[in-house]
Amino acid sequence: MFRLSNLLKSTLEGIPQRELKGSIAIWNFTNRCNLSCLHCYSKSGLEATDTLSTQKILETIPQFKHAGVHFVIFSGGEPLTRKDIFQIAQAFKDEGIATYLSTNGLYINPGNVQKIIDTFGYIGISIDGDESTHDYFRGLAGSYAKSLKAIDLIHEAGGKVGIRFTITQKTKESLPHIFELAEKKGIDKIYISHLVYSGRGLDNLKMDLTKEERKEAVEYIIDKAFEYYESGQDIDIVTGNMEMDALLFLQRFGQKYPHKKEDLRQRLLRWGGNSAGRNLVNINSEGEVKPDPFFPISIGNIFERPFDEIWQEETPLLHRLREFPRRIKGKCENCEHIAICNGGSRPRAWAISGDLWDEDPSCYID
């Protein structure tokens, strides 16, 4: 996760950058979902059944605290399909662990919106473009309007909400629309994810951008970050699953603010790029623990061993992921920027070459 706006502001104003203390866990509490999105890494659907019982989840939560997890992103499937979701979230909060909600918004209504705001420290709603693009991509006519209604409900109840957008061949033309929507509705954060080759995303590799298209899109995103900062517009821009965005940002930042470029470079080195297996972990709906949600290899299962034992054991895989910078093959091997991006996505490398330690095939940096 590359916090573009935060790094821009903190560097120019000489204040500490936002740094992660502890680990982030993305937990897919269910594989049930009311949509069938083309890029879904978990291939969720309404026909799925929940494997994780309330009791199993609750007994695992103290292990998260012991393992140094400070944030949990509630994901799925659609996490709001679980009737026990508020009980689970409160149990995390009781342990001092922050809770974030990643949702399509379709189950947010006037009867539960205040409870959602009170329960979750951040709410991210997925919007995949303008109305026709979103509804096509999500597989449900009318889903765009319902997601926007959820955003309005959260704002009317005094809450804050962000947009989550995945950029693909099918959605790239809607990138300006996402920013226009955020400006129009006073949305606090735009999270733009690059496609990772997993789940339906792996089935649809043809929907990914070319390297030239990706660079053009990221340049547009960076320009919006500059625009928002320079105009005083408070919209936070974050990109995900493409740590190489930081390198293009460093280049563009240096052109505008050359006297601050070295300061930014040092901040990017402290950030450290891809964090899968280091301070990012995923638990899927079957209890499998993985270095990130897209990872092709499980490092254990909470039905067989406690989570903290799995996460804190220095297995060969975790040791290799936690090396810094990572030892990556291909063009990464002699790249002077490896300590900033940390080699990018291992699941993408695996999907294309079958080698976890090959270069990220989506890297667009020359």
Side-chain angles (χ1 to χ4, degrees):
M1 185 180 299
F2 177 51
R3 301 183 185 280
L4 179 58
S5 298
N6 179 263
L7 274 161
L8 175 58
K9 178 180 176 66
S10 62
T11 304
L12 291 178
E13 297 182 7
I15 58 179
Q17 68 199 76
R18 182 177 177 183
E19 294 184 355
L20 176 64
K21 296 180 180 179
S23 298
I24 292 178
I26 301 171
W27 195 334
N28 307 95
F29 288 100
T30 181
N31 206 38
R32 283 185 294 131
C33 188
N34 49 337
L35 298 176
S36 54
C37 307
L38 292 177
H39 63 307
C40 180
Y41 64 80
S42 60
K43 295 188 177 182
S44 301
L46 280 176
E47 71 282 356
T49 57
D50 288 336
T51 300
L52 297 162
S53 67
T54 307
Q55 183 57 40
K56 184 60 182 177
I57 294 169
L58 294 178
E59 72 183 33
T60 303
I61 292 173
Q63 300 165 15
F64 274 62
K65 184 174 183 180
H66 184 254
V69 174
H70 289 187
F71 303 88
V72 173
I73 298 173
F74 282 53
S75 189
E78 171 51 55
L80 291 178
T81 61
R82 289 194 67 119
K83 295 180 179 179
D84 57 1
I85 202 71
F86 296 110
Q87 179 187 359
I88 294 167
Q90 187 59 52
F92 274 109
K93 292 173 71 175
D94 290 346
E95 291 285 354
I97 299 173
T99 56
Y100 296 173
L101 176 65
S102 179
T103 175
N104 59 45
L106 271 62
Y107 287 137
I108 298 176
N109 58 61
N112 66 15
V113 64
Q114 190 61 56
K115 193 167 187 179
I116 290 171
I117 292 169
D118 293 342
T119 301
F120 296 98
Y122 170 74
I123 304 162
I125 293 182
S126 299
I127 302 288
D128 281 307
D130 58 28
E131 185 167 13
S132 60
T133 302
H134 176 94
D135 287 358
Y136 166 77
F137 215 65
R138 295 266 152 185
L140 179 67
S143 59
Y144 177 85
K146 291 178 181 179
S147 294
L148 291 196
K149 179 60 177 175
I151 290 171
D152 291 340
L153 284 171
I154 292 168
H155 280 160
E156 289 164 7
K160 293 184 177 182
V161 62
I163 290 177
R164 301 176 62 85
F165 171 79
T166 301
I167 186 165
T168 69
Q169 288 286 349
K170 300 290 187 181
T171 64
K172 64 180 181 179
E173 300 302 327
S174 289
L175 185 59
H177 175 80
I178 293 298
F179 286 92
E180 291 165 7
L181 186 64
E183 294 162 15
K184 177 182 177 181
K185 288 192 170 290
I187 288 167
D188 305 281
K189 178 185 288 188
I190 303 172
Y191 175 86
I192 300 166
S193 177
H194 295 267
L195 187 70
V196 182
Y197 310 149
S198 178
R200 292 193 191 105
L202 181 57
D203 294 341
N204 292 281
L205 284 176
K206 62 184 179 181
M207 78 169 65
D208 199 12
L209 304 180
T210 66
K211 294 183 180 182
E212 293 76 17
E213 290 170 333
R214 191 181 310 284
K215 184 176 181 181
E216 182 179 348
V218 175
E219 286 177 337
Y220 179 86
I221 294 164
I222 292 170
D223 285 342
K224 295 301 290 188
F226 286 142
E227 174 190 328
Y228 289 159
Y229 178 77
E230 292 164 1
S231 66
Q233 196 159 1
D234 191 18
I235 299 177
D236 188 22
I237 301 175
V238 180
T239 68
N241 305 311
M242 186 62 62
E243 290 76 17
M244 290 69 78
D245 291 351
L247 302 174
L248 184 57
F249 176 59
L250 177 62
Q251 176 187 339
R252 297 286 301 282
F253 180 94
Q255 294 167 357
K256 289 179 70 72
Y257 309 105
H259 62 294
K260 287 282 189 177
K261 183 177 182 180
E262 181 57 26
D263 185 1
L264 176 60
R265 193 179 76 85
Q266 292 301 320
R267 289 169 184 259
L268 291 173
L269 288 171
R270 289 195 294 273
W271 165 63
N274 186 277
S275 61
R278 189 176 70 207
N279 53 28
L280 175 65
V281 62
N282 169 248
I283 305 89
N284 73 11
S285 60
E286 302 295 320
E288 299 288 346
V289 180
K290 301 190 294 180
D292 72 24
F294 312 99
F295 220 81
I297 299 171
S298 169
I299 58 173
N301 191 297
I302 61 171
F303 287 101
E304 300 169 359
R305 295 173 60 205
F307 168 79
D308 48 349
E309 288 187 12
I310 296 170
W311 184 235
Q312 293 178 315
E313 183 181 7
E314 193 76 356
T315 63
L317 174 59
L318 288 179
H319 176 77
R320 186 85 182 263
L321 286 171
R322 291 167 180 171
E323 286 184 328
F324 187 79
R326 291 178 184 149
R327 290 175 287 125
I328 307 297
K329 301 174 185 176
K331 71 178 185 179
C332 298
E333 190 170 2
N334 297 309
C335 179
E336 62 180 315
H337 304 300
I338 187 69
I340 291 179
C341 73
N342 208 21
S345 171
R346 300 301 87 225
R348 272 197 295 259
W350 173 274
I352 298 303
S353 71
D355 186 346
L356 277 175
W357 312 112
D358 206 348
E359 66 184 59
D360 184 335
S362 291
C363 178
Y364 58 91
I365 302 298
D366 297 328

